[in-house]
Amino acid sequence: MTTMTATAKAGGTRTWAFPRRVECIPETRHRVEALLREWQRPAETVDTATLLVTELVTNAVEHTDDSDVSVQCQLSAEVVTVSVTDTGSGTSTGTDTDTDTDGVPVPAQPDDLAESGRGLFLVAALATDWGTRLTAGSREVWARLAH
């Protein structure tokens, strides 16, 4: 059983913190999906946001050495933003993401037959906008969906 803590904030924001383990990825996906349905978002938005958060959480779990990861889902002015924050240093293997010299994740360029490595390409293709925020102790990768 995984342990996940949730916090809610006014203004349509929910945040979950969980241990950086592969077993937490499906639970995070289900929580985001349930929240967006509760917020009565269109099915296409729910499906796309769920895919985006799955890709971002998978990258955080696979490519950092942090012990915990947090996921935030926010609704404002008909825009859904999902973000994933870790405080570990990047340990990218280049399979799903590479990092630039500042530790910012960038889409990798897998060869045509690679079975993985397209997560951030999916994020860039499906999100209205996406990016990374670096602070003194963390890295947040976010993706926005607008109607």
Side-chain angles (χ1 to χ4, degrees):
M1 180 98 186
T2 59
T3 303
M4 210 177 238
T5 58
T7 59
K9 297 180 183 178
T13 301
R14 184 85 37 89
T15 303
W16 298 275
F18 61 94
R20 185 189 63 85
R21 294 197 320 246
V22 172
E23 299 83 28
C24 292
I25 296 169
E27 186 175 347
T28 303
R29 179 176 55 243
H30 294 304
R31 286 178 184 238
V32 169
E33 179 181 15
L35 177 63
L36 293 176
R37 290 189 191 288
E38 177 184 317
W39 286 344
Q40 300 178 349
R41 297 299 87 207
E44 182 179 339
T45 300
V46 173
D47 292 344
T48 303
T50 301
L51 175 61
L52 294 175
V53 79
T54 300
E55 294 298 335
L56 296 178
V57 169
T58 299
N59 283 344
V61 167
E62 291 182 357
H63 300 291
T64 67
D65 59 2
D66 193 14
S67 61
D68 295 311
V69 175
S70 68
V71 173
Q72 185 174 84
C73 188
Q74 181 177 28
L75 174 65
S76 61
E78 296 304 310
V79 175
V80 172
T81 304
V82 292
S83 62
V84 176
T85 303
D86 65 75
T87 56
S89 60
T91 59
S92 176
T93 63
T95 56
D96 284 328
T97 62
D98 287 327
T99 55
D100 67 12
T101 56
D102 294 324
V104 174
V106 295
Q109 296 191 8
D111 70 37
D112 293 341
L113 299 177
E115 293 183 11
S116 64
R118 293 170 184 85
L120 284 181
F121 282 114
L122 285 172
V123 171
L126 296 174
T128 305
D129 192 18
W130 77 281
T132 303
R133 286 192 260 304
L134 299 175
T135 64
S138 68
R139 171 182 42 218
E140 174 188 18
V141 182
W142 54 269
R144 232 175 245 126
L145 292 172
H147 299 321

